[in-house]
């Protein structure tokens, strides 16, 4: 079994120390950080998602797997971030109200930082007021919202409406993402764009911020 398969399996088992070990081993074998992320950590998390859905895993197991995922991500982050010089601009990112999922958002953050953007992560369970306040305070080029639950994704529209009511909707480009979100949904809530994954989020931000 190759290192990435061992890494994926360790993540599925929620073995934090093994995940750290195999992530480091893959790096020592010169595997690119993005490959380790996609074929090791995210591949493992996909299996965790299926087991959770099918009732084979419960919250404690998923939390342990999330902890293992973060441990691996922490080792990869400096490499995903890379050496960026001057900031390409500011992006504010948050997970919407009622939603505590942040693994995907952290990956989006790391990849945007890798592309030279300054990213301000305003956390999880973020209400419309805080999104509005952050846009006022940081004047980002782009505001990104993440949601992993079908029950919370609708809140993206609440945030966009709040920005509209405050008269600052047109001051910022808005992008949305997260497993239940798609292009059509993004359009329906009035966002400027949707990205299915972190790499495409970077391309989208570049496109939206191109002069
Ligand atoms: Co939750 N959970 N969870 N969970 N969880 C899901 C999302 C679920 C699909 C599992 C399932 O049933 N198969 C399901 C949602 C069902 C639905 O809404 N239809 C679910 C549920 C039900 C719940 C609870 C309600 C469970 C309960 O309490 N009974 C609860 C809700 C808590 C809350 O938020 N209020 C809950 C809790 C949790 C944990 C806390 C245990 C943990 C989160 C830990 C954390 O994030 N710190 C957790 C996890 C880990 C998952 C799964 C297993 C994995 C999510 C993940 O991290 N994926 C998930 C199942 C699944 O998605 N397969 C599940 C890996 C990550 C890299 O992918 O987040 O999709 P993802 O991000 C991608 C893209 O979506 C995109 O780029 C990322 C990288 O490529 N992207 C963006 C994300 N944000 C973006 C923003 C952008 C652009 C792209 O622009 C701004």
């Amino acid at each position: 079994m190759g290192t990435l398969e061992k890494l994926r399996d360790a993540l599925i088992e929620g073995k934090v120390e093994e995940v750290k070990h195999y992530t480091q081993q893959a790096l020592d074998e010169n595997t690119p950080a993005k490959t380790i992320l996609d074929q090791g950590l995210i591949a493992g998390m996909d299996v965790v998602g299926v087991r959770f859905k099918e009732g084979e895993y419960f919250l404690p197991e998923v939390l342990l797997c999330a902890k293992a995922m973060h441990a691996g991500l922490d080792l990869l982050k400096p490499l995903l971030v890379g050496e960026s010089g001057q900031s390409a601009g500011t992006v504010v990112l948050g997970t919407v109200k009622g939603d505590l999922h942040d693994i995907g958002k952290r990956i989006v953050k790391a990849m945007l930082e890798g592309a030279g953007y300054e990213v301000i992560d305003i956390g999880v369970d973020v209400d419309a007021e805080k999104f509005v306040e952050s846009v006022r305070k940081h004047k980002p080029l782009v505001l990104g919202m993440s949601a992993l639950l079908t029950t919370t994704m609708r809140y993206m529209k609440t945030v966009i409406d709040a920005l509209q009511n405050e008269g600052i909707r047109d001051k910022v480009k808005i992008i949305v993402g997260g497993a239940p979100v798609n292009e059509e949904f993004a359009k329906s809530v009035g966002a400027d764009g949707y990205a299915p994954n972190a790499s495409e989020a970077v391309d989208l931000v570049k496109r939206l911020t191109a002069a």
Side-chain angles (χ1 to χ4, degrees), residues 108-170:
V108 173
K109 177 176 192 271
M111 305 266 304
L112 280 170
E113 286 175 345
Y117 292 90
E118 185 192 344
V119 181
I120 296 162
D121 183 350
I122 57 173
V124 296
D125 191 19
V126 179
D127 63 18
E129 221 166 76
K130 190 165 176 192
F131 275 111
V132 167
E133 190 188 301
S134 302
V135 169
R136 281 228 168 85
K137 184 172 171 201
H138 303 293
K139 300 186 173 47
L141 296 172
V142 176
L143 170 66
M145 288 187 272
S146 182
L148 264 287
L149 300 172
T150 45
T151 47
T152 58
M153 62 196 264
R154 288 176 242 279
Y155 194 76
M156 290 172 169
K157 173 134 177 35
T158 307
V159 175
I160 297 177
D161 287 347
L163 290 164
Q164 191 88 50
N165 289 339
E166 295 293 321
I168 52 174
R169 165 65 186 92
D170 57 355

Coordinates of all heavy atoms in Angstrom, one line a residue, residues 108-170:
V108 N -9.9 26.5 1.4 CA -10.1 27.6 0.5 C -9.1 28.8 1.0 O -8.4 29.4 0.2 CB -11.5 28.1 0.5 CG1 -11.7 29.4 -0.3 CG2 -12.4 27.0 -0.1
K109 N -9.1 29.0 2.3 CA -8.2 30.1 2.8 C -6.8 29.8 2.5 O -6.1 30.7 2.0 CB -8.4 30.1 4.3 CG -7.5 31.2 5.0 CD -7.9 31.2 6.5 CE -7.2 32.4 7.2 NZ -5.9 32.2 7.7
A110 N -6.3 28.6 2.7 CA -4.9 28.3 2.5 C -4.6 28.5 1.0 O -3.5 29.1 0.6 CB -4.6 26.9 2.9
M111 N -5.5 28.1 0.1 CA -5.2 28.2 -1.3 C -5.2 29.6 -1.8 O -4.4 30.0 -2.7 CB -6.1 27.3 -2.1 CG -6.2 25.9 -1.7 SD -5.1 24.8 -2.6 CE -5.6 25.0 -4.2
L112 N -6.1 30.4 -1.2 CA -6.2 31.8 -1.6 C -4.9 32.5 -1.1 O -4.4 33.4 -1.8 CB -7.4 32.5 -1.0 CG -8.7 32.3 -1.8 CD1 -9.9 32.8 -0.9 CD2 -8.7 33.0 -3.1
E113 N -4.5 32.2 0.1 CA -3.3 32.8 0.6 C -2.1 32.4 -0.3 O -1.2 33.2 -0.6 CB -3.0 32.4 2.0 CG -4.0 33.1 3.0 CD -3.8 32.6 4.4 OE1 -3.2 31.6 4.7 OE2 -4.4 33.3 5.3
G114 N -2.1 31.2 -0.8 CA -1.1 30.7 -1.7 C -1.1 31.5 -3.0 O 0.0 31.7 -3.6
A115 N -2.2 32.0 -3.4 CA -2.3 32.8 -4.6 C -2.0 34.3 -4.3 O -2.2 35.2 -5.2 CB -3.7 32.7 -5.2
G116 N -1.7 34.6 -3.0 CA -1.3 36.0 -2.7 C -2.3 36.9 -2.1 O -2.1 38.1 -1.9
Y117 N -3.5 36.3 -1.8 CA -4.6 37.2 -1.2 C -4.4 37.2 0.3 O -3.9 36.2 0.9 CB -6.0 36.6 -1.6 CG -6.3 36.8 -3.0 CD1 -6.0 35.8 -3.9 CD2 -6.9 38.0 -3.5 CE1 -6.2 36.0 -5.3 CE2 -7.1 38.1 -4.8 CZ -6.8 37.1 -5.7 OH -7.0 37.3 -7.1
E118 N -4.8 38.3 0.9 CA -4.8 38.4 2.4 C -6.2 37.9 2.7 O -7.2 38.5 2.3 CB -4.6 39.8 2.9 CG -4.6 39.9 4.4 CD -4.6 41.3 4.9 OE1 -4.5 42.2 4.2 OE2 -4.9 41.4 6.1
V119 N -6.3 36.8 3.6 CA -7.6 36.3 3.9 C -7.9 36.5 5.3 O -7.2 36.1 6.2 CB -7.7 34.8 3.5 CG1 -9.0 34.2 3.9 CG2 -7.3 34.5 2.1
I120 N -9.1 37.1 5.6 CA -9.6 37.3 6.9 C -10.7 36.3 7.2 O -11.7 36.3 6.5 CB -10.0 38.7 7.2 CG1 -8.8 39.7 7.0 CG2 -10.6 38.9 8.5 CD1 -9.2 41.1 6.7
D121 N -10.4 35.3 8.1 CA -11.4 34.3 8.4 C -12.2 34.7 9.6 O -11.7 34.8 10.7 CB -10.6 33.0 8.7 CG -11.5 31.8 8.9 OD1 -12.8 32.0 9.0 OD2 -11.0 30.7 8.9
I122 N -13.5 35.0 9.4 CA -14.3 35.5 10.5 C -15.1 34.3 11.2 O -15.9 34.6 12.0 CB -15.3 36.6 10.0 CG1 -16.2 36.2 8.9 CG2 -14.5 37.8 9.6 CD1 -17.3 37.2 8.6
G123 N -14.7 33.1 10.9 CA -15.1 32.0 11.7 C -16.3 31.2 11.2 O -16.6 31.2 10.0
V124 N -16.9 30.5 12.1 CA -18.1 29.7 11.8 C -19.3 30.3 12.5 O -19.2 31.2 13.4 CB -17.9 28.2 12.3 CG1 -16.8 27.6 11.5 CG2 -17.7 28.1 13.8
D125 N -20.5 29.9 12.1 CA -21.8 30.3 12.7 C -21.8 31.9 12.7 O -22.2 32.5 13.7 CB -21.8 29.8 14.2 CG -23.1 30.0 14.9 OD1 -24.1 30.2 14.2 OD2 -23.2 29.9 16.1
V126 N -21.5 32.4 11.5 CA -21.4 33.9 11.4 C -22.8 34.5 11.0 O -23.3 34.0 10.0 CB -20.3 34.3 10.4 CG1 -20.3 35.8 10.3 CG2 -19.0 33.7 10.8
D127 N -23.3 35.4 11.8 CA -24.6 36.0 11.4 C -24.4 37.2 10.4 O -23.3 37.6 10.2 CB -25.4 36.4 12.6 CG -24.7 37.5 13.4 OD1 -23.8 38.2 12.9 OD2 -25.1 37.7 14.6
A128 N -25.6 37.6 9.8 CA -25.5 38.6 8.8 C -24.9 39.9 9.3 O -24.1 40.6 8.6 CB -26.9 38.9 8.3
E129 N -25.2 40.3 10.6 CA -24.6 41.5 11.1 C -23.1 41.5 11.1 O -22.4 42.4 10.7 CB -25.0 41.5 12.6 CG -25.4 42.9 13.1 CD -26.2 42.8 14.4 OE1 -25.5 42.6 15.4 OE2 -27.4 42.9 14.4
K130 N -22.5 40.3 11.4 CA -21.0 40.2 11.5 C -20.5 40.3 10.0 O -19.4 40.8 9.8 CB -20.6 38.9 12.2 CG -19.1 38.9 12.5 CD -18.8 37.8 13.5 CE -17.3 37.7 13.6 NZ -16.9 36.5 14.4
F131 N -21.2 39.6 9.1 CA -20.7 39.7 7.7 C -20.7 41.2 7.2 O -19.7 41.7 6.7 CB -21.6 38.9 6.8 CG -21.2 37.4 6.7 CD1 -22.0 36.4 7.2 CD2 -20.0 37.0 6.1 CE1 -21.7 35.1 7.1 CE2 -19.7 35.7 6.0 CZ -20.5 34.7 6.5
V132 N -21.8 41.9 7.5 CA -21.9 43.3 7.1 C -20.8 44.1 7.8 O -20.1 44.9 7.1 CB -23.3 43.9 7.5 CG1 -23.3 45.4 7.4 CG2 -24.4 43.3 6.7
E133 N -20.6 43.9 9.1 CA -19.6 44.6 9.8 C -18.2 44.4 9.2 O -17.3 45.3 9.1 CB -19.6 44.1 11.3 CG -18.9 44.8 12.3 CD -18.9 44.0 13.6 OE1 -20.0 43.7 14.1 OE2 -17.8 43.5 14.1
S134 N -17.9 43.1 8.8 CA -16.6 42.8 8.3 C -16.4 43.4 6.9 O -15.2 43.8 6.6 CB -16.4 41.3 8.1 OG -16.6 40.6 9.3
V135 N -17.4 43.5 6.1 CA -17.3 44.1 4.8 C -17.0 45.6 5.0 O -16.1 46.2 4.4 CB -18.5 44.0 4.0 CG1 -18.5 44.8 2.7 CG2 -18.7 42.5 3.6
R136 N -17.7 46.2 6.0 CA -17.4 47.7 6.3 C -16.0 47.9 6.8 O -15.3 48.8 6.4 CB -18.3 48.1 7.5 CG -19.7 48.4 7.0 CD -20.2 49.8 7.6 NE -21.4 50.2 6.9 CZ -22.6 49.7 7.3 NH1 -22.7 49.0 8.4 NH2 -23.7 50.1 6.7
K137 N -15.6 47.0 7.7 CA -14.3 47.2 8.4 C -13.1 46.9 7.4 O -12.1 47.6 7.4 CB -14.2 46.3 9.6 CG -13.0 46.4 10.4 CD -13.1 45.6 11.7 CE -11.8 45.5 12.4 NZ -11.7 44.4 13.4
H138 N -13.2 45.7 6.7 CA -12.0 45.3 6.0 C -12.0 45.7 4.5 O -11.0 45.5 3.8 CB -11.9 43.8 6.1 CG -11.7 43.3 7.5 ND1 -10.7 43.6 8.3 CD2 -12.6 42.6 8.2 CE1 -10.8 43.0 9.5 NE2 -12.0 42.4 9.5
K139 N -13.2 46.2 4.0 CA -13.3 46.5 2.6 C -12.7 45.5 1.7 O -11.8 45.8 0.8 CB -12.7 47.9 2.4 CG -13.4 49.0 3.2 CD -12.9 50.4 2.9 CE -13.7 51.5 3.6 NZ -13.9 51.3 5.0
P140 N -13.1 44.3 1.8 CA -12.5 43.2 0.9 C -13.0 43.3 -0.5 O -14.0 43.9 -0.8 CB -13.1 41.9 1.5 CG -14.4 42.3 2.1 CD -14.2 43.7 2.6
L141 N -12.1 42.8 -1.4 CA -12.5 42.7 -2.8 C -13.6 41.7 -3.0 O -14.5 41.8 -3.8 CB -11.4 42.3 -3.7 CG -10.1 43.2 -3.8 CD1 -9.0 42.5 -4.5 CD2 -10.5 44.5 -4.5
V142 N -13.5 40.6 -2.2 CA -14.4 39.5 -2.2 C -14.8 39.0 -0.9 O -14.0 39.0 0.1 CB -13.7 38.3 -3.0 CG1 -14.6 37.1 -3.0 CG2 -13.3 38.7 -4.4
L143 N -16.1 38.7 -0.8 CA -16.6 38.1 0.5 C -17.0 36.6 0.1 O -17.8 36.4 -0.9 CB -17.9 38.8 0.9 CG -18.7 38.2 2.1 CD1 -17.9 38.1 3.3 CD2 -20.0 38.9 2.3
G144 N -16.5 35.7 0.8 CA -16.8 34.3 0.5 C -17.6 33.6 1.7 O -17.2 33.8 2.8
M145 N -18.7 33.0 1.3 CA -19.5 32.3 2.3 C -19.5 30.8 2.1 O -19.7 30.4 0.9 CB -20.9 32.8 2.3 CG -21.1 34.2 2.8 SD -22.9 34.6 2.9 CE -23.2 35.2 1.3
S146 N -19.4 30.0 3.2 CA -19.4 28.6 3.1 C -20.5 28.0 3.9 O -20.9 28.6 4.9 CB -18.0 28.1 3.6 OG -17.9 26.7 3.5
A147 N -21.1 26.9 3.4 CA -22.2 26.2 4.1 C -22.2 24.8 3.7 O -22.0 24.4 2.6 CB -23.6 26.8 3.8
L148 N -22.3 23.9 4.7 CA -22.3 22.5 4.4 C -23.6 21.8 4.7 O -23.8 20.6 4.5 CB -21.2 21.8 5.3 CG -19.8 21.6 4.8 CD1 -19.9 20.4 3.8 CD2 -19.3 22.8 4.1
L149 N -24.6 22.6 5.2 CA -25.9 22.0 5.5 C -27.0 22.6 4.6 O -26.9 23.8 4.3 CB -26.2 22.3 7.0 CG -25.3 21.7 8.0 CD1 -25.7 22.3 9.4 CD2 -25.3 20.2 8.1
T150 N -27.9 21.7 4.2 CA -29.0 22.2 3.3 C -29.8 23.2 4.1 O -30.4 24.1 3.5 CB -29.8 21.1 2.8 OG1 -30.1 20.2 3.9 CG2 -29.1 20.3 1.7
T151 N -29.8 23.1 5.4 CA -30.6 24.0 6.3 C -30.0 25.3 6.4 O -30.6 26.3 6.8 CB -30.9 23.4 7.7 OG1 -29.6 22.9 8.1 CG2 -31.8 22.2 7.6
T152 N -28.6 25.4 6.3 CA -28.0 26.7 6.5 C -27.6 27.5 5.2 O -27.4 28.7 5.3 CB -26.7 26.5 7.4 OG1 -25.8 25.6 6.6 CG2 -27.0 26.0 8.7
M153 N -27.6 26.7 4.1 CA -27.2 27.4 2.9 C -28.1 28.6 2.5 O -27.6 29.6 2.0 CB -27.0 26.4 1.7 CG -28.3 25.7 1.4 SD -28.1 24.3 0.3 CE -28.3 24.9 -1.3
R154 N -29.4 28.4 2.9 CA -30.3 29.5 2.6 C -29.9 30.8 3.3 O -30.3 31.9 2.8 CB -31.7 29.1 3.1 CG -32.4 28.0 2.2 CD -33.7 27.7 2.9 NE -33.7 26.3 3.3 CZ -33.9 25.3 2.4 NH1 -34.2 25.5 1.2 NH2 -33.9 24.0 2.8
Y155 N -29.2 30.7 4.3 CA -28.8 31.9 5.1 C -27.9 32.9 4.2 O -27.8 34.1 4.5 CB -28.1 31.5 6.4 CG -28.0 32.7 7.4 CD1 -29.1 33.1 8.1 CD2 -26.8 33.4 7.5 CE1 -29.0 34.2 9.0 CE2 -26.7 34.5 8.4 CZ -27.8 34.9 9.1 OH -27.8 35.9 10.0
M156 N -27.3 32.3 3.2 CA -26.5 33.1 2.3 C -27.3 34.3 1.7 O -26.8 35.4 1.6 CB -25.9 32.3 1.2 CG -24.8 31.3 1.7 SD -24.3 30.2 0.4 CE -22.9 29.4 1.3
K157 N -28.6 34.0 1.4 CA -29.4 35.0 0.9 C -29.7 36.1 2.0 O -29.7 37.3 1.6 CB -30.7 34.4 0.4 CG -31.8 35.4 0.0 CD -32.4 35.0 -1.4 CE -33.5 35.9 -1.8 NZ -33.4 37.3 -1.5
T158 N -29.9 35.7 3.2 CA -30.1 36.6 4.3 C -28.9 37.6 4.4 O -29.1 38.8 4.5 CB -30.2 35.9 5.6 OG1 -31.2 34.9 5.5 CG2 -30.6 36.8 6.8
V159 N -27.7 37.1 4.2 CA -26.5 37.9 4.3 C -26.5 38.9 3.1 O -26.3 40.1 3.3 CB -25.2 37.1 4.3 CG1 -24.0 38.0 4.3 CG2 -25.2 36.2 5.5
I160 N -26.8 38.4 1.9 CA -26.7 39.2 0.7 C -27.8 40.3 0.8 O -27.6 41.5 0.5 CB -26.9 38.4 -0.6 CG1 -25.6 37.5 -0.7 CG2 -27.0 39.3 -1.8 CD1 -25.6 36.5 -1.9
D161 N -29.0 39.9 1.3 CA -30.1 40.9 1.5 C -29.7 42.0 2.5 O -29.9 43.2 2.4 CB -31.4 40.3 2.0 CG -32.0 39.4 0.9 OD1 -31.7 39.6 -0.3 OD2 -32.9 38.6 1.2
A162 N -29.0 41.6 3.6 CA -28.5 42.5 4.6 C -27.5 43.5 4.0 O -27.6 44.7 4.3 CB -27.9 41.8 5.8
L163 N -26.6 43.0 3.2 CA -25.6 43.9 2.5 C -26.4 44.9 1.6 O -26.0 46.1 1.5 CB -24.6 43.1 1.7 CG -23.6 42.3 2.6 CD1 -22.9 41.2 1.7 CD2 -22.6 43.2 3.2
Q164 N -27.4 44.4 0.9 CA -28.2 45.2 0.0 C -28.9 46.3 0.9 O -28.8 47.5 0.5 CB -29.2 44.3 -0.6 CG -30.0 45.0 -1.8 CD -29.3 44.8 -3.1 OE1 -28.9 43.7 -3.4 NE2 -29.0 45.9 -3.8
N165 N -29.5 45.9 2.0 CA -30.2 46.9 2.8 C -29.3 48.0 3.4 O -29.7 49.1 3.6 CB -30.9 46.2 4.0 CG -32.1 45.4 3.5 OD1 -32.6 45.6 2.4 ND2 -32.5 44.4 4.2
E166 N -28.0 47.6 3.6 CA -27.1 48.5 4.1 C -26.4 49.4 3.0 O -25.6 50.2 3.3 CB -26.0 47.8 4.9 CG -26.5 47.0 6.1 CD -26.9 48.0 7.3 OE1 -26.3 49.0 7.5 OE2 -28.0 47.6 7.9
G167 N -26.8 49.1 1.8 CA -26.3 49.9 0.7 C -24.9 49.6 0.3 O -24.2 50.4 -0.4
I168 N -24.3 48.4 0.7 CA -22.9 48.1 0.4 C -22.8 46.8 -0.5 O -21.7 46.3 -0.7 CB -22.1 48.0 1.7 CG1 -22.7 47.0 2.7 CG2 -21.8 49.3 2.3 CD1 -21.8 46.7 3.9
R169 N -23.9 46.3 -1.0 CA -23.8 45.1 -1.8 C -22.9 45.2 -3.0 O -22.2 44.3 -3.3 CB -25.3 44.6 -2.2 CG -25.3 43.6 -3.3 CD -24.7 42.3 -2.8 NE -24.6 41.3 -3.9 CZ -23.5 41.1 -4.6 NH1 -22.4 41.9 -4.5 NH2 -23.5 40.1 -5.5
D170 N -23.0 46.4 -3.6 CA -22.2 46.5 -4.9 C -20.7 46.9 -4.6 O -19.9 47.1 -5.5 CB -22.8 47.6 -5.8 CG -23.0 48.9 -5.1 OD1 -22.8 49.0 -3.9 OD2 -23.5 49.9 -5.8

